[in-house]
């Protein structure tokens, strides 16, 4: 019962999603807390203690990477740009085993530093990137916390960019899942960094600590973490090509007992998500769902659809029960602009509402001339 209630509570990640009482039961997971998300369906599948405050350790580097990728996108940083290693970055690397082995005063390319931060989990590389993006570590940490607020996170607070223990440096597996999801959604091209198995810098080769990269060819990320307080942590993501299209899952596991355990428990969650749940593709983005009658318009009808693809995850064997229900805000009166919301699409399995997605006008509809508007106004009065 506790596990079921935890799974139901996870639905707060997506307020529009409501689960039935009879859900597939996840496997027993030997960890302090976890979540499993179906990113293709934008839907949580299972969780335990999703809102318990935890120390994020090097999972912190996902938020750091998000801001670094943001700076690259905005042309404030370039992959071939060289940064001079500061003493602070070097000293931070010396305080923990996770370091890239950069030396004070040397120049290092941003692309190499990103690999050092992600593949080697280098605290020194992370601090140097933070200094470049924020101007100082303190400014960068403020940026991290503002981004957390922009994501709608309620618990996560960052005190440094690398994840070393610090008072008040906290998160939850639910919120770490949100950060990882946004990273994958907003910067899909950068996922390539997370699948690199090893990286050599300064003649020192280090392997990615994510053991699943060697064990499951569908796993292409994402980040490990460890401190004494946090235990062994892993955010893992897998993308598998299935008959009805590609499907991506993401698991967050914190507080495992060892490197091996965090990998095994994460693999159990991913495999269960793929084997116990079916993905159902309902509509493509901007696919015409219906043509609705328009009043006072230059066109008699408007094409209606969703701006995003609509998919859901259902327990294995329930795919045939999936149906849709469109609720429109009729009458639709011109002018109608492209993207204007005119209703809601509900996706159901039996009586269970799986998702609610806004439906919008796909092509604009201008007003009719004076006579057309007057005629439709009369028809509306008589309706």
């Amino acid at each position: 019962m506790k596990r079921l209630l935890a799974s139901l509570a996870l639905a707060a990640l997506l307020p529009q999603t409501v689960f039935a009482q009879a859900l597939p039961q996840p496997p027993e997971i030997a960890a302090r807390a976890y979540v499993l998300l179906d990113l293709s369906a934008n839907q949580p599948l299972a969780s335990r203690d999703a809102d318990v405050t935890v120390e994020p350790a090097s999972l912190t580097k996902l938020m750091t990477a998000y801001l670094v990728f943001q700076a690259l996108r905005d042309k404030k940083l370039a992959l071939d740009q060289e940064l001079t290693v500061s003493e602070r970055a070097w000293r931070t690397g010396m305080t923990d085993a996770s370091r890239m082995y950069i030396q004070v005063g040397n120049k290092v390319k941003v692309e190499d530093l990103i690999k050092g931060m992600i593949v080697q989990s280098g605290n020194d590389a992370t601090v140097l990137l933070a200094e470049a993006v924020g101007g100082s570590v303190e400014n960068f940490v403020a940026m991290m916390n503002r981004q957390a607020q922009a994501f709608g996170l309620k618990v996560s607070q960052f005190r440094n960019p690398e994840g070393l223990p610090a008072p008040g440096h906290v998160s939850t597996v639910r919120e770490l899942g949100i950060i990882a999801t946004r990273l994958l959604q907003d910067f899909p091209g950068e996922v390539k960094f997370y699948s690199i198995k090893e990286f050599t810098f300064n003649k020192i080769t280090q392997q990615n600590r994510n053991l699943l990269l060697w064990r499951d060819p569908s796993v292409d990320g994402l980040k490990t973490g460890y401190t004494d307080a946090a235990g062994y942590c892993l955010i893992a993501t897998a993308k598998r090509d299935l008959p009805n299209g590609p499907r991506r899952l993401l698991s967050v596991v914190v507080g495992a007992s060892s490197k091996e355990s965090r990998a095994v428990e994460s693999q159990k969650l991913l495999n269960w998500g793929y084997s116990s749940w079916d993905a159902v593709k309902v509509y493509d983005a901007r696919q015409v769902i219906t043509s609705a009658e328009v009043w006072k318009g230059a066109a008699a009808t408007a094409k209606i659809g969703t701006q995003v693809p609509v998919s859901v995850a259902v327990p294995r064997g329930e795919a045939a029960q999936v149906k849709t229900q469109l609720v429109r805000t009729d009458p639709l009166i011109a002018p109608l602009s492209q993207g204007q919301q005119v209703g809601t699409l509900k996706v159901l399995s039996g009586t269970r509402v799986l998702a609610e997605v806004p439906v919008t006008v796909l092509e604009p509809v201008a007003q009719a001339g004076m006579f057309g508007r007057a005629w439709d106004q009369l028809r509306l009065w008589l309706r």
Side-chain angles (χ1 to χ4, degrees):
M1 177 60 71
K2 179 180 178 182
R3 190 163 61 243
L4 175 59
L5 292 174
S7 186
L8 291 169
L10 181 59
L13 271 171
L14 300 165
Q16 72 273 24
T17 302
V18 180
F19 288 102
Q21 293 183 353
L23 294 173
Q25 290 298 294
E28 290 295 333
I29 300 299
R32 185 176 307 156
Y34 71 83
V35 296
L36 177 67
L37 309 175
D38 187 322
L39 299 192
S40 298
N42 205 29
Q43 190 172 316
L45 301 182
S47 73
R48 189 180 72 224
D49 293 333
D51 296 312
V52 171
T53 300
V54 298
E55 186 176 303
S58 279
L59 302 182
T60 300
K61 293 183 175 77
L62 291 180
M63 180 62 91
T64 302
Y66 187 93
L67 295 177
V68 170
F69 295 151
Q70 199 174 66
L72 288 169
R73 180 196 64 195
D74 297 342
K75 309 299 183 183
K76 297 177 181 178
L77 207 62
L79 287 176
D80 59 357
Q81 181 178 342
E82 292 188 331
L83 304 180
T84 302
V85 179
S86 68
E87 183 172 347
R88 181 169 186 173
W90 173 78
R91 287 192 181 278
T92 303
M94 295 297 290
T95 62
D96 186 76
S98 298
R99 60 184 184 270
M100 184 181 172
Y101 295 97
I102 53 179
Q103 300 298 319
V104 177
N106 286 358
K107 292 183 180 297
V108 186
K109 287 185 178 180
V110 167
E111 183 173 5
D112 286 338
L113 290 167
I114 291 173
K115 293 175 181 177
M117 174 178 67
I118 292 173
V119 182
Q120 301 172 332
S121 199
N123 295 330
D124 45 5
T126 305
V127 168
L128 186 55
L129 286 168
E131 290 174 331
V133 174
S136 70
V137 171
E138 290 72 23
N139 287 344
F140 187 84
V141 170
M143 292 171 63
M144 295 173 75
N145 288 313
R146 285 196 298 272
Q147 191 62 59
Q149 291 179 343
F151 285 163
L153 309 187
K154 305 300 183 183
V155 177
S156 297
Q157 289 288 323
F158 300 103
R159 300 291 180 261
N160 59 60
E162 76 281 346
L164 288 172
H169 190 93
V170 296
S171 189
T172 69
V173 291
R174 183 195 305 277
E175 296 191 351
L176 289 167
I178 293 173
I179 295 169
T181 298
R182 288 298 303 269
L183 181 69
L184 291 167
Q185 289 177 343
D186 296 349
F187 301 103
E190 277 62 50
V191 173
K192 62 185 179 184
F193 288 112
Y194 290 94
S195 61
I196 298 173
K197 293 182 178 180
E198 64 179 32
F199 177 57
T200 300
F201 182 80
N202 200 20
K203 298 182 180 179
I204 300 172
T205 299
Q206 297 185 67
Q207 291 190 333
N208 195 314
R209 295 172 174 84
N210 183 359
L211 299 180
L212 295 187
L213 292 176
W214 282 267
R215 300 177 182 181
D216 184 341
S218 68
V219 170
D220 53 7
L222 200 58
K223 190 70 189 74
T224 62
Y226 170 79
T227 64
D228 289 341
Y232 289 88
C233 311
L234 173 60
I235 296 181
T237 185
K239 183 179 180 182
R240 298 184 185 178
D241 292 322
L242 303 176
N244 57 348
R247 185 181 180 200
R248 181 175 289 281
L249 301 185
L250 183 136
S251 63
V252 183
V253 172
V254 302
S257 60
S258 66
K259 296 177 182 178
E260 177 66 20
S261 177
R262 70 187 175 191
V264 169
E265 302 308 300
S266 297
Q267 186 76 77
K268 283 163 60 176
L269 276 174
L270 293 171
N271 288 343
W272 173 81
Y274 283 112
S275 64
S276 297
W277 295 78
D278 285 331
V280 180
K281 185 176 183 180
V282 184
Y283 290 111
D284 289 319
R286 298 185 56 78
Q287 179 180 342
V288 177
I289 297 175
T290 187
S291 293
E293 184 178 15
V294 176
W295 299 80
K296 303 183 182 182
T301 60
K303 295 178 180 178
I304 305 299
T306 62
Q307 294 295 315
V308 297
V310 180
S311 298
V312 293
V314 296
R316 176 60 56 89
E318 280 193 20
Q321 300 180 34
V322 173
K323 58 185 180 181
T324 61
Q325 182 181 87
L326 181 60
V327 180
R328 292 205 311 264
T329 54
D330 289 339
L332 303 184
I333 300 176
L336 298 173
S337 58
Q338 182 175 326
Q340 179 178 336
Q341 183 174 345
V342 291
T344 302
L345 177 73
K346 292 185 178 181
V347 185
L348 306 96
S349 177
T351 59
R352 182 171 75 248
V353 179
L354 300 174
E356 294 185 26
V357 185
V359 292
T360 65
V361 177
L362 298 179
E363 297 176 1
V365 179
Q367 274 190 332
M370 183 180 297
F371 177 78
R373 296 199 305 273
W375 174 246
D376 276 359
Q377 183 62 59
L378 177 62
R379 292 173 61 212
L380 282 168
W381 284 340
L382 296 174
R383 191 179 182 186

